[in-house]
Amino acid sequence: MLEFDYQCPEVSIPSMEREVDMSGKEKKLFRVEVFFNGRKHYVLRRHSDFQNLHRKLKKILMLPEFPSKRNPHLRTKPLDQRRQELEDYIQEILQQNETVPQELLEFLQIRHFRSMSKTDRTDCELIQQCVVTFSKDPFFLGTFSGLPDVVVDGVLEGLYPKDVSAPSDNTSAGAM
């Protein structure tokens, strides 16, 4: 298990983007920027995506009130005000809760980490995947078809190049 200091994701919603779908209808998307574990990325989310996240999270967490899309005095809130309220909403969830739930990690597209706890630093671990595997020792594999196995030969050449040799005692003595 790998240990590292817990780092809470930093989330901001600096702007909005407009997108036209196939039917010609314009969609307003919030640009959610996420800085986590030394990496920065962004996701585009509609207001309804935030509402769906809220519905999922309220089943498992105490949440702040979800920002209304409407202003009591106006028909709708200005987009910039709505953007700021959604940013404050996400930041408040991150600050108030002891655990960052998997649903929020998925919403922010933070992968390769389980749901994290601020108090248990060893709760987070990288998911490691096997890159190269052999069912038998490749040095002792025989070629059954009579043809060379170019995949095994290529992997072995990449891992253990044949042209690398240890320096002899004469070359190291001459260099001094």
Side-chain angles (χ1 to χ4, degrees):
M1 186 178 306
L2 299 173
E3 290 188 31
F4 60 96
D5 288 334
Y6 173 80
Q7 180 185 7
C8 188
E10 295 177 29
V11 178
S12 65
I13 306 174
S15 62
M16 292 189 59
E17 296 183 17
R18 298 178 191 272
E19 182 179 275
V20 179
D21 66 9
M22 298 277 228
S23 66
K25 185 177 178 182
E26 184 179 83
K27 294 180 183 180
K28 295 172 190 90
L29 301 165
F30 295 94
R31 181 184 173 103
V32 181
E33 292 188 355
V34 181
F35 182 75
F36 181 70
N37 201 26
R39 293 187 174 143
K40 187 174 184 177
H41 71 276
Y42 75 92
V43 293
L44 297 175
R45 297 287 186 223
R46 297 184 69 187
H47 190 270
S48 60
D49 296 329
F50 284 92
Q51 289 174 318
N52 291 336
L53 174 68
H54 180 75
R55 273 188 237 113
K56 289 178 187 176
L57 292 179
K58 76 179 180 180
K59 295 176 184 176
I60 57 174
L61 296 174
M62 292 297 295
L63 294 175
E65 189 173 321
F66 187 75
S68 172
K69 198 173 181 177
R70 292 177 175 29
N71 185 322
H73 305 294
L74 303 171
R75 188 167 171 215
T76 61
K77 287 184 180 176
L79 289 175
D80 193 52
Q81 181 182 355
R82 202 177 329 159
R83 178 199 57 76
Q84 184 61 53
E85 288 177 356
L86 289 172
E87 179 178 315
D88 294 343
Y89 171 77
I90 294 293
Q91 289 178 355
E92 195 171 339
I93 292 172
L94 291 170
Q95 291 170 1
Q96 286 184 351
N97 292 287
E98 200 59 32
T99 300
V100 179
Q102 188 65 35
E103 292 83 356
L104 183 55
L105 293 173
E106 290 170 4
F107 178 82
L108 299 173
Q109 292 185 353
I110 297 175
R111 294 185 175 90
H112 307 300
F113 289 90
R114 294 186 286 138
S115 184
M116 300 173 294
S117 169
K118 294 178 185 175
T119 56
D120 185 9
R121 295 175 184 216
T122 60
D123 191 31
C124 302
E125 61 182 61
L126 290 170
I127 297 174
Q128 298 180 6
Q129 295 180 341
C130 186
V131 177
V132 177
T133 183
F134 293 100
S135 59
K136 298 178 182 174
D137 189 338
F139 286 108
F140 299 112
L141 287 176
T143 56
F144 300 109
S145 67
L147 298 173
D149 189 341
V150 294
V151 173
V152 172
D153 291 345
V155 170
L156 291 174
E157 177 65 27
L159 296 174
Y160 310 104
K162 295 177 183 173
D163 59 348
V164 176
S165 60
S168 65
D169 290 335
N170 296 344
T171 55
S172 61
M176 291 183 158

